[in-house]
Amino acid sequence: MTLFELLTQGTECLEQAGSPDAGNDAKLLLLEAFELDMTHFLLNRMQTLPENQRTGECTAKYQEWIARRAKRVPLQQILGSQEFMGMEFFVNEHVLIPRQDTETLVELVLEREKHTQKRVLDLCAGSGCIGISLAVLGGFEYVAEADLSEEALKVTRKNIERLAGESGTRIECFHGDLFSAIPDGTEPFDILVSNPPYIPTEVIAGLEPEVRDHEPMMALDGTEDGLLFYRRIAKEAGKVLAPGASVYLEIGYDQGEAVRGLLREQGFAEVEVHKDLAGNDRVVCGRFVG
Ligand code: GLN
């Protein structure tokens, strides 16, 4: 057996399962299972693999991963990581896999608020990708990560340990439903960031199986019109924000006007909708007047 043959088998198996990007995924799983880099693979792919314990173990691991991917388990959950803002975040089935779209929000906050002695609240933290990248890249004084899921917060904590140890930012995690996670008496926040669940319930059934069947439903489902969490955030944010605080919310491509309206109704000023790299509306920001 050669690496090339293993790759061909894996690719065919994924193609039969209707998995998009079969060749690329099989290659990444092969390299990871055999702990090889691309150069080694290219130079040695036609050589017969030695028949030893290592080959047996790596092959078994690769085949198990291919079988999981054929069931449309996301590649990131199999490999346990996703790159976001230049950092490798640990992910599992309890958190949303960080998306490139969300970098638009982080970059906007960094552009406007970098190197400030500000306190940041990341609601619906999930993997913690937003709050942690702000801590590492933004030099903020304090970041609070809040989530309704205990399992998600375990992932957040792991990512804080792995990625933010040197950041100099104090980071704490809180468990609870949106703002109720924040203990009474907490000093007000200057920046609120959130990528809340925003997919309308009936749209979920039509999503790719990777998302629909394997990412946490509670990270996706924004209820009937997708807007429940924006409504609640707009209404309840005053409980924890300092006057003049800024709010940055990720939104679905068609939710810009609705979320702008919700923030305005609740008295937020300077409400703006920002686009992502693909030209879709992606972030709504505003200022809490107090
Ligand atoms: N904040 C995390 C992210 O943006 C999780 C978001 C969520 O669970 N809705 O990836």
Side-chain angles (χ1 to χ4, degrees), residues 2 4 41-42 50 57 62 64 95 104 123 125 136-137 158 185 213 232 236 266:
T2 66
F4 184 75
F41 170 76
L42 291 173
E57 284 169 7
Y62 169 66
E64 186 208 316
V95 297
T104 303
L123 279 184
V136 173
L137 304 169
K158 188 162 172 167
D213 302 335
R232 289 190 52 197
E236 299 169 28
Q266 295 297 328

Side-chain angles (χ1 to χ4, degrees), residues 128-144:
C129 64
I130 300 177
I132 293 172
S133 42
L134 289 176
V136 173
L137 304 169
F140 294 99
E141 182 181 293
Y142 174 76
V143 172

Side-chain angles (χ1 to χ4, degrees), residues 96-98 102 122 124-127 129-130 195-197 219:
L96 191 80
I97 298 165
T102 307
D122 179 10
C124 310
S127 63
C129 64
I130 300 177
N195 175 20

Side-chain angles (χ1 to χ4, degrees), residues 78-98:
I78 300 172
L79 298 177
S81 89
Q82 169 63 40
E83 190 266 348
F84 181 84
M85 294 301 293
M87 288 171 264
E88 284 296 328
F89 283 81
F90 168 72
V91 296
N92 63 19
E93 69 278 19
H94 299 296
V95 297
L96 191 80
I97 298 165

Side-chain angles (χ1 to χ4, degrees), residues 104 198 250-257 260 273-276 278-284:
T104 303
Y198 58 69
E250 177 167 327
I251 54 160
Y253 72 95
D254 56 355
Q255 294 172 327
E257 284 318 306
R260 187 208 299 262
V273 181
H274 288 261
K275 292 188 185 301
D276 60 23
N280 294 317
D281 287 349
R282 187 56 63 193
V283 178
V284 177

Side-chain angles (χ1 to χ4, degrees), residues 155-166:
V155 177
T156 318
R157 286 195 194 94
K158 188 162 172 167
N159 281 320
I160 293 169
E161 262 167 46
R162 280 162 61 128
L163 300 168
E166 318 268 284

